[in-house]
Amino acid sequence: MKRYALYYPLLLLAVMLAWFIFKATSAPFSDYAGYYFGSRALLRGNYETVYDTWSLNQLIAQQGYSGIFVSYTPFPPFTSIVLAPFLLFPVAVSKILFNVFSAVMFIWVLARAGKYLSLPPWVLWLMPVIFFIPLHNNIFFGQAYLLLFALLLEGYIAYKKGKPVIAALLWGVAIVFKLFPLVILFFLLAKKQYKQVVYCLAVCALLGSISVLLNGFAAWQYYVFTIFPRANNGELNDSYTYLFQSAFMLLKNLFVYDAVQNPQVVLSSMPVFVICMVLFKALLLACCVGITIHKKATDFVAFAGWITASLLLSPNGSSYSLILLLMPLLALARSKPVYLVTVMALLVLVCFIPVSALGGKPLLLQFPRLYGLLLLFGVLMVAAGMQFSVKLFAALVAVLLLADAGKLFPKPDKSTYLLLQPLPFVYEYAIKENQLVYRYWDGSGSHETSTHYGVHNYSTSDVRIQNNQVYYKNKQLTSTPDLKKQPMLVNGTQIIYLSDRNRGFGFYTLRTITNL
């Protein structure tokens, strides 16, 4: 019986995931629609359509689908390569097959890990309970984190078994698929596994080359230089949202002023925000190096520490990505009971806290998941006997501060919001009956709303967008990285245009420049 003890909890997990997959057949396509329709268009060469949220949703609507509102901006072009086999089927069938594949890979790798790591069966019995919400949301949203977990853990097992090429292949796919697993390279560098680093980089280069051939160089160029910097700045949909539960969003809400989205800051100071983020990142990285080089800490605990840190470093968090926290639970499965019990309690808090219900609370009370993650990371560091190096921390602060030096004092912006009120997803505006109206898009399609803003005369002859900046009579008026379109001179005294400044990528609002 002991021989099969590990398989019984995995059988329970399989039944639960199968039930989720069945129930999800009647649920909305949700995030999977972004994966599916965006990847299909990207493989056809339409990268500008794919990474423009309005164009992508309009394309989906033109194909007869309603009730869908998605964005492809979080996904690098390689995502379309991963999804390619599932694009051969209609979207409903495709989502089922993708969920089945992800679930099978997840369970298979857990079975292998259970044997290799000699996991006590009771940990696997509790896992479906603790991670009920992340498991449920991965299936219902059609997300890829079960597959990502399988790639990361199976890659680690291959690495420990002395199979560097297989480990590099698995980790390489994870890196080019989601990018943040790039922290694995820092884990390997700290372990002085330079040969494995070279293998991983070679695989990433190979996979990237395949993607360039299939997706086109222009798609990657656009993603790397336009999309990724904005996504890495937390600008996916709502650039001040507490729902991401990240340190980045907490600090941004504390220190970065926005007249509409964040008017009541504690201290409006971009330098304070940048320095706080640099200190936070340097502390996490120094701690991870501290457990990686500690001789008494196991490699798996160190690996789990880096994965946990990657979630804390990301400005964009989610409920389904929390399945990656199974890694530290497995790593501490045979540690002292006080550490294991504490970690399980924190995981229950992190996974089950109803984040969406905290919107009306004071700012510091809106981020309980973040606090739980930080405590979990702290317990992991203590359990591993971290060796903290002040010199390394100072060096990391210096390097990161140098990298972010350009953000300390951003260039002045002459523009302001035209309307001091939150707007929906605006994609276009027009002048009708001497009033400005805007058109916005949601899951039910396009809508038009009047702003009651009077426009007596307007012209587009002397104003234009060039190199993503606003020009008036050949004079450059802006120098900011936000997307801009549809400039217009109104009432002879001001320029209005659409901009996604301080918002999600492509999530436009109306801005104005009056000092011409």
Side-chain angles (χ1 to χ4, degrees), residues 47 77 211-223 225:
Y47 75 91
S211 181
V212 167
L213 289 174
L214 295 176
N215 300 128
F217 179 77
W220 271 103
Q221 184 181 39
Y222 187 69
Y223 180 82
F225 294 104

Side-chain angles (χ1 to χ4, degrees), residues 316-333:
N316 315 307
S318 63
S319 59
Y320 35 80
S321 65
L322 297 178
I323 193 62
L324 299 181
L325 294 177
L326 177 56
M327 210 79 75
L329 176 61
L330 299 181
L332 295 179

Side-chain angles (χ1 to χ4, degrees), residues 117-299:
L117 300 172
S118 300
L119 295 174
W122 64 268
V123 172
L124 295 178
W125 280 111
L126 287 176
M127 189 273 292
V129 178
I130 295 173
F131 292 96
F132 181 88
I133 299 297
L135 291 168
H136 172 278
N137 289 353
N138 265 283
I139 297 299
F140 273 72
F141 295 163
Q143 272 290 346
Y145 283 85
L146 296 182
L147 179 59
L148 184 65
F149 177 90
L151 290 169
L152 294 173
L153 186 53
E154 185 64 22
Y156 174 81
I157 293 173
Y159 159 71
K160 291 300 294 181
K161 287 184 174 181
K163 300 177 180 178
V165 175
I166 295 177
L169 285 170
L170 294 167
W171 282 343
V173 171
I175 290 169
V176 295
F177 184 25
K178 287 295 184 180
L179 299 185
F180 74 85
L182 194 68
V183 296
I184 294 171
L185 300 184
F186 296 101
F187 162 74
L188 295 172
L189 287 171
K191 296 293 294 183
K192 298 182 180 180
Q193 298 292 312
Y194 305 124
K195 187 176 180 180
Q196 185 68 67
V197 172
V198 171
Y199 282 143
C200 288
L201 290 175
V203 168
C204 289
L206 175 62
L207 295 174
S209 299
I210 293 172
S211 181
V212 167
L213 289 174
L214 295 176
N215 300 128
F217 179 77
W220 271 103
Q221 184 181 39
Y222 187 69
Y223 180 82
V224 170
F225 294 104
T226 304
I227 303 289
F228 179 73
R230 298 284 301 278
N232 198 45
N233 202 38
E235 298 176 6
L236 292 181
N237 40 44
D238 181 350
S239 61
Y240 283 87
T241 180
Y242 71 96
L243 294 175
F244 285 164
Q245 291 291 291
S246 64
F248 182 94
M249 287 300 174
L250 173 58
L251 293 171
K252 190 174 183 180
N253 276 276
L254 286 172
F255 301 123
V256 181
Y257 172 81
D258 184 273
V260 171
Q261 300 176 95
N262 196 36
Q264 297 178 330
V265 294
V266 174
L267 173 65
S268 180
S269 174
M270 181 60 74
V272 171
F273 168 70
V274 172
I275 291 171
C276 286
M277 278 305 303
V278 164
L279 292 173
F280 178 73
K281 291 177 181 178
L283 181 62
L284 289 181
L285 294 174
C287 288
C288 286
V289 173
I291 62 170
T292 306
I293 63 176
H294 187 32
K295 295 181 180 179
K296 292 184 180 180
T298 66
D299 282 357

Side-chain angles (χ1 to χ4, degrees), residues 36-37 40-41 44 56 58-65:
Y36 181 87
F37 292 105
R40 190 164 66 174
R44 293 172 179 171
L56 176 60
Q58 186 186 43
L59 177 66
I60 295 171
Q62 289 173 349
Q63 296 178 31
Y65 296 93

Side-chain angles (χ1 to χ4, degrees), residues 264-463:
Q264 297 178 330
V265 294
V266 174
L267 173 65
S268 180
S269 174
M270 181 60 74
V272 171
F273 168 70
V274 172
I275 291 171
C276 286
M277 278 305 303
V278 164
L279 292 173
F280 178 73
K281 291 177 181 178
L283 181 62
L284 289 181
L285 294 174
C287 288
C288 286
V289 173
I291 62 170
T292 306
I293 63 176
H294 187 32
K295 295 181 180 179
K296 292 184 180 180
T298 66
D299 282 357
F300 191 40
V301 170
F303 183 75
W306 283 98
I307 297 300
T308 307
S310 72
L311 296 179
L312 286 165
L313 289 168
S314 174
N316 315 307
S318 63
S319 59
Y320 35 80
S321 65
L322 297 178
I323 193 62
L324 299 181
L325 294 177
L326 177 56
M327 210 79 75
L329 176 61
L330 299 181
L332 295 179
R334 293 192 174 278
S335 65
K336 293 180 180 179
V338 63
Y339 297 138
L340 183 55
V341 172
T342 303
V343 163
M344 287 193 294
L346 289 171
L347 285 172
V348 170
L349 169 70
V350 166
C351 293
F352 280 89
I353 192 76
V355 170
S356 59
L358 302 174
K361 304 296 182 183
L363 178 63
L364 294 179
L365 297 181
Q366 293 180 10
F367 289 82
R369 181 185 293 166
L370 169 63
Y371 307 144
L373 275 171
L374 289 170
L375 288 173
L376 174 64
F377 184 77
V379 172
L380 195 60
M381 295 302 106
V382 172
M386 176 194 64
Q387 293 179 338
F388 189 80
S389 170
V390 176
K391 290 183 179 180
L392 175 62
F393 172 70
L396 288 169
V397 168
V399 171
L400 293 172
L401 196 58
L402 182 62
D404 285 341
K407 299 178 182 178
L408 287 171
F409 302 101
K411 296 179 180 179
D413 183 15
K414 295 181 180 180
S415 72
T416 58
Y417 285 103
L418 180 67
L419 306 171
L420 289 177
Q421 63 190 59
L423 296 182
F425 176 57
V426 178
Y427 68 89
E428 187 179 62
Y429 74 88
I431 309 299
K432 286 190 174 182
E433 299 179 355
N434 294 329
Q435 285 195 357
L436 186 148
V437 300
Y438 64 81
R439 299 185 180 101
Y440 70 94
W441 189 279
D442 59 20
S444 60
S446 178
H447 311 273
E448 184 175 281
T449 299
S450 174
T451 64
H452 302 293
Y453 188 88
V455 177
H456 306 296
N457 57 75
Y458 61 92
S459 170
T460 59
S461 59
D462 292 327
V463 61

